[in-house]
Every structure is written in structure tokens, then in C-alpha cells.
Amino acid sequence: MAAGGSRAGSASPIPSASSLPLAALNVRVRRRLSLFLNVRTQVAADWTALAEEMGFEYLEIRQLEAHADPMGKLLDDWQGRPGASVGRLLELLTKLGRDDVLVELGPSIGAAGWWWWSLMITCKARNVTSRPSLRSASLPVPIRSD
């Protein structure tokens, strides 16, 4: 089978960062994002610019300013909105020219993604094994191809 191809009936591959929910970002990654983006500066986009790109209105942004960690609160609030994902966050950081954040946190965000998907597989496995009948149970287990 060619790299990246799929067989009929095989398990779907691990979803990309574009479908990875924001809940996959652990506290450490969120804190580091805050360290980069809570700082107001004239030369780089901060959390307010990101909030605008995420679709937040002026009054919502003003309310976020009252929080000790506006970037953290922004992520929490955005997490419940349609289209919010790790991949979309990365796209917006790229659009804003925050390559410094992407270079520094890219590996951490990737590790969070692997952790999240392994947790989801574990939860699904527990669900399957707790059922009375295992005859029809199947669990797609993605295979890492790097």
C-alpha cells in the first residue's frame, strides 16, 4: 500500500490538527500561549488580534481584558464555538505572523494531539469492553506512519 493511502474497510487515520479539539491543549501549552500572547506590543499581534480573527466582537474582547489571563479565557470561550480547533488556532497564528509562537509551541501542541487521541482510543476501548457482548465490537486503532 502506498504511503498515505487507505484500504477499503480499514480504520480511518488519525485526524489532523484541523479536527483536533481545543480540549487537547493541556494546561502547560495554554500557559505558554498566554506568556506569548498576553503581552501587549506594537510589533507583534497579541491576544486581542487573535480574538478578532476568531470572530469575537469588540464588547466581548473588552470583557476578556478584565481577566488576569485574557488569552486563557479566550481559549476557554472559543472552545465552545463552531470551527474552533487546534488546526484553526495554528492557521490564525500563522495568519497573524506569530511564527515565534508556532516554532516554540509546535512540538508541544503535536504532543498534546497524540496524547488526546490515545486518551480517546482508551475511552472507546473501555466502552467496548464494558458491553455485555463483544462479538460485534470493533475498535479502529490508527498506526503511526512517521
Side-chain angles (χ1 to χ4, degrees):
M1 177 170 78
S6 62
R7 295 182 306 230
S10 67
S12 61
I14 291 178
S16 67
S18 62
S19 62
L20 192 64
L22 279 181
L25 294 181
N26 62 31
V27 173
R28 187 175 138 262
V29 170
R30 288 169 183 256
R31 283 186 184 150
R32 291 180 70 200
L33 276 168
S34 293
L35 287 174
F36 277 97
L37 296 169
N38 279 342
V39 178
R40 289 268 174 123
T41 177
Q42 297 298 319
V43 296
D46 64 7
W47 72 269
T48 59
L50 181 61
E52 286 180 338
E53 291 296 328
M54 290 174 167
F56 284 79
E57 300 292 329
Y58 172 77
L59 292 177
E60 293 174 302
I61 294 170
R62 293 292 307 211
Q63 288 177 344
L64 290 170
E65 286 179 319
H67 292 272
D69 178 11
M71 180 62 204
K73 180 68 172 142
L74 174 64
L75 287 174
D76 290 343
D77 289 356
W78 190 53
Q79 187 168 307
R81 293 186 177 202
S85 69
V86 171
R88 183 69 181 137
L89 175 62
L90 297 175
E91 288 172 11
L92 293 175
L93 289 170
T94 301
K95 181 178 180 180
L96 293 171
R98 290 307 304 257
D99 297 334
D100 57 330
V101 178
L102 296 169
V103 168
E104 182 68 26
L105 296 181
S108 297
I109 291 171
W114 278 108
W115 170 83
W116 175 261
W117 290 116
S118 66
L119 178 65
M120 292 298 98
I121 290 169
T122 302
C123 290
K124 287 180 182 178
R126 285 188 186 142
N127 258 352
V128 168
T129 58
S130 66
R131 294 181 186 158
S133 171
L134 293 177
R135 284 183 217 186
S136 63
S138 65
L139 179 64
V141 178
I143 298 172
R144 194 169 170 179
S145 64
D146 55 343

